Amino acid sequence: QYVNDVRKMKLAAGLLLTMDGSPFVYYGEEIGMNSLGKKDENKRLPMHWSDTDTAGTPFPPSGADSVEQKFPALDVQMSDPLSLYSYYKGAIRIRNENPELARGTVEIVPALTSGSVCVVTKTYNESTILVCYNIGETSASVALNDTAFAKYRLYNSLAVDETAVTLEKGVLTLPPYAIAVLRPKG
């Protein structure tokens, strides 16, 4: 559903990588590679490593269609902090830093969930984190004052562009399609 919409592709990756269990990322997905149609050959296209250095890149399978790639090759995305590849790297780093994401027990926080914002806790080994998702196309705020999470701090965040997630005076501001991980202070 989100093919070639980089902001929504990033959101989908962020959702996948902050959910329970073992996520699967298929080769090329992390750089936005396209395939075409239902032909098996089109699903086994060579990795889009580079447009300039193609040494070692195999030819497409016999019978594969020519598929135009909408996103830059990996070598270009590696140097772009706003690329899809960089977003995946950041999401994986956040997942690795927060074992609660993969292993935690999930509970929705109904008082903080509304409209395009979903807020959940994830608890693992007596550690509880707060994960806030804005799946909407506009910014959203979550007031943490006067809640059990008033003393939580912004620990990690994922944004689809240069607009930062902020936590100021007890109000968490989430840009469109942003995800925030908060931990207790201390």
Side-chain angles (χ1 to χ4, degrees):
Q1 291 186 4
Y2 296 157
V3 171
N4 298 330
D5 184 334
V6 71
R7 292 163 42 97
K8 290 181 180 177
M9 290 169 71
K10 287 177 180 180
L11 172 64
L15 290 169
L16 172 70
L17 292 165
T18 58
M19 296 290 168
D20 305 354
S22 301
F24 287 87
V25 177
Y26 296 94
Y27 93 93
E29 185 177 344
E30 73 279 19
I31 62 168
M33 275 186 64
N34 286 322
S35 62
L36 182 67
K38 296 184 181 197
K39 289 171 60 175
D40 183 61
E41 294 84 357
N42 292 347
K43 295 177 178 126
R44 294 184 285 119
L45 298 173
M47 182 70 169
H48 192 199
W49 297 108
S50 176
D51 287 326
T52 56
D53 181 4
T54 58
T57 301
F59 293 109
S62 178
D65 296 319
S66 177
V67 178
E68 178 186 355
Q69 297 303 326
K70 302 291 185 186
F71 295 97
L74 177 62
D75 61 348
V76 173
Q77 288 196 40
M78 288 175 69
S79 62
D80 179 1
L82 295 176
S83 70
L84 183 58
Y85 172 78
S86 293
Y87 185 94
Y88 266 90
K89 279 185 64 176
I92 291 168
R93 179 184 49 77
I94 288 171
R95 183 178 185 82
N96 290 338
E97 290 176 359
N98 299 282
E100 299 90 346
L101 291 173
R103 299 176 188 92
T105 303
V106 180
E107 288 188 42
I108 193 163
V109 183
L112 299 177
T113 298
S114 176
S116 66
V117 174
C118 179
V119 179
V120 299
T121 59
K122 289 197 163 202
T123 304
Y124 176 70
N125 283 346
E126 299 181 28
S127 172
T128 299
I129 63 172
L130 191 68
V131 186
C132 306
Y133 302 92
N134 178 10
I135 61 169
E137 296 179 3
T138 59
S139 291
S141 297
V142 179
L144 299 175
N145 293 327
D146 301 322
T147 73
F149 310 103
K151 293 190 177 187
Y152 274 52
R153 65 182 170 90
L154 181 59
Y155 187 73
N156 296 112
S157 65
L158 292 167
V160 298
D161 58 27
E162 63 279 346
T163 309
V165 173
T166 60
L167 176 59
E168 295 176 5
K169 298 180 181 175
V171 177
L172 178 69
T173 302
L174 296 162
Y177 308 126
I179 300 170
V181 175
L182 291 88
R183 291 188 161 280
K185 291 180 183 173

